[in-house]
Amino acid sequence: MLARIGLPQPFLSLVLFLVWQLLSDGISGGSVVMGAILAWALPLLTRGFWPERPAIVKGWLLPLYVLRVLLDIVVASLAVARLVLGTRKPRPAFISYPISLEHPLAITMLASTISLTPGTVSADVSDDQRLLLIHALDVDDEQEVIDAIRQRYEKPLQEIFQ
Amino acid sequence: MSPIAEYLIAGLLLIGGAFTLIGAIGLARMPDFYTRLHAPTKATTVGVGAIMLASISYSSYQGAGIDTAELLITVFLFMTAPVSANILAKSAMHLGVKHMPETRGKPWDQ
Amino acid sequence: MITTALHITIAMVTLAVLLNVYRLIKGPDAPDRILALDTLYVNAIALIILLGIALGTRLYMEAALLIAVMGFVGTVAMAKYLKRGSVIE
């Protein structure tokens, strides 16, 4: 129904509208009109570039996930800080992580989360989207890292995107 | 301004500065490119985030209302930091940048 | 008290900028330099925000926002150029 009146992606339109309100100095009549125009025009203009939309089944779990990731980012920074300031040499490793997620957006979110959290940066995704190459800064046991990521991040993401 | 708010803002500022500095020290000190990648993506992002938070609370205590630009910058930085780290790691692997000999495992190139 | 904390923070961020410049000059590879530039723009945003607090003005926010957007685009463009040899395919 929404696609018929020129809103192929209602969620994107909503985000665009809100961001425009945040960008302009205070909400006024002008900013609402301009925001509405942008929210309508941009998704239409960029329609060809968007990959297929993943079905977000449980969107309300998303804020919970973001909160957990934010907390982990703080912990991660403390760990990295200790390593940076200490004299111990880091023990880095490249780890191949088998992904069980399917939607490109879900994989992107997992990769971004991994980059922002304890001692790991996601480096590459294999062409068939089955493997994620992770560079870990300081690990004893590769399997431990894989299990931790699966438990903490991939499971919740799997619940959100079906 | 109440003293508690002052302590809070001053604390946030110092935490932010410290993390920014730690990120830069990591960038300067770590032995190879892939380990260097870790410090700026995490520490610097948190540092700048804390400074933004301080700025937001400061301006709202000044009675200027919450300025939303900082909020946007913070969200934007948190969204873009992993993306640029990822694409830098990719280009480094493509160029065959050396990693330290202790590194276990190997990058694959496709 | 906030003024003191502000001065200390500005000193720390400036030191961070100097360390980034050190990495920018030393290299040794192109990705290292791009990473240094990337960190440099994030630190520049922090400095601008701190300057805004110190001078009590909101004027610099737009500048910081623009640097955030342009810096990211610049980093991605340079990294992509290294990987593919062209920015837009």
Side-chain angles (χ1 to χ4, degrees):
Chain A
M1 210 280 284
L2 282 167
R4 270 255 232 45
I5 54 170
L7 292 174
Q9 285 168 299
F11 186 68
L12 177 67
S13 297
L14 184 69
V15 170
L16 281 172
F17 182 78
L18 288 179
V19 167
W20 187 258
Q21 304 313 316
L22 291 178
L23 267 176
S24 43
D25 266 336
I27 298 170
S28 61
S31 76
V32 169
V33 172
M34 194 63 204
I37 292 174
L38 288 174
W40 170 74
L42 284 181
L44 280 185
L45 285 173
T46 57
R47 196 192 303 194
F49 300 117
W50 289 87
E52 233 177 277
R53 224 148 40 88
I56 298 181
V57 181
K58 294 176 178 168
W60 42 271
L61 283 175
L62 211 55
L64 223 79
Y65 180 76
V66 171
L67 205 69
R68 161 182 280 190
V69 171
L70 278 180
L71 277 178
D72 282 358
I73 289 171
V74 176
V75 176
S77 308
L78 286 175
V80 171
R82 205 178 306 136
L83 205 65
V84 164
L85 297 178
T87 48
R88 193 163 59 82
K89 266 196 138 185
R91 294 161 296 174
F94 282 102
I95 303 171
S96 290
Y97 178 83
I99 315 170
S100 51
L101 296 167
E102 271 168 21
H103 289 293
L105 182 61
I107 295 175
T108 310
M109 279 190 69
L110 181 69
S112 300
T113 312
I114 288 170
S115 287
L116 281 174
T117 47
T120 47
V121 167
S122 59
D124 208 350
V125 182
S126 67
D127 287 334
D128 57 358
Q129 307 193 331
R130 284 268 152 263
L131 280 177
L132 193 64
L133 183 67
I134 299 172
H135 182 268
L137 182 56
D138 192 44
V139 281
D140 286 322
D141 182 18
E142 281 90 341
Q143 194 57 41
E144 236 170 70
V145 175
I146 292 176
D147 289 342
I149 291 172
R150 172 140 303 147
Q151 277 307 321
R152 255 188 112 63
Y153 308 118
E154 198 171 15
K155 284 265 171 66
L157 276 177
Q158 216 150 22
E159 251 181 85
I160 296 168
F161 300 93
Q162 283 296 324
Chain B
M1 199 183 293
S2 72
I4 299 169
E6 254 187 63
Y7 275 115
L8 195 76
I9 293 169
L12 274 176
L13 278 174
L14 290 177
I15 290 170
F19 269 118
T20 314
L21 187 54
I22 285 168
I25 291 173
L27 182 68
R29 245 194 87 184
M30 285 294 183
D32 72 346
F33 174 75
Y34 300 100
T35 47
R36 279 200 277 274
L37 197 55
H38 286 271
T41 42
K42 297 184 189 79
T44 305
T45 314
V46 171
V48 175
I51 289 176
M52 299 289 179
L53 215 58
S55 173
I56 292 173
S57 12
Y58 184 74
S59 65
S60 63
Y61 269 107
Q62 295 292 80
I66 291 178
D67 194 337
T68 47
E70 282 121 323
L71 213 61
L72 273 181
I73 296 172
T74 318
V75 170
F76 193 77
L77 282 181
F78 271 90
M79 267 166 53
T80 55
V83 177
S84 33
N86 184 277
I87 197 165
L88 277 173
K90 260 182 159 174
S91 67
M93 286 192 308
H94 179 74
L95 292 176
V97 172
K98 290 224 164 37
H99 47 78
M100 53 193 285
E102 290 94 328
T103 309
R104 278 166 287 156
K106 262 209 294 243
W108 25 260
D109 204 21
Q110 40 185 339
Chain C
M1 191 180 72
I2 284 184
T3 325
T4 323
L6 202 58
H7 287 165
I8 296 172
T9 312
I10 290 177
M12 284 198 278
V13 178
T14 311
L15 200 59
V17 167
L18 286 177
L19 285 169
N20 292 339
V21 172
Y22 162 77
R23 178 52 68 194
L24 182 65
I25 294 169
K26 186 149 178 278
D29 296 302
D32 283 296
R33 298 205 159 94
I34 301 177
L35 181 64
L37 275 178
D38 187 69
T39 319
L40 206 55
Y41 91 75
V42 179
N43 287 0
I45 295 171
L47 266 185
I48 289 175
I49 301 286
L50 289 171
L51 198 68
I53 303 178
L55 299 178
T57 163
R58 320 288 309 155
L59 271 177
Y60 295 107
M61 283 305 146
E62 313 290 322
L65 196 60
L66 274 179
I67 292 177
V69 175
M70 293 301 161
F72 172 64
V73 173
T75 304
V76 170
M78 283 189 287
K80 189 127 191 288
Y81 179 74
L82 278 188
K83 192 168 178 331
R84 305 260 190 202
S86 66
V87 178
I88 299 169
E89 293 162 44

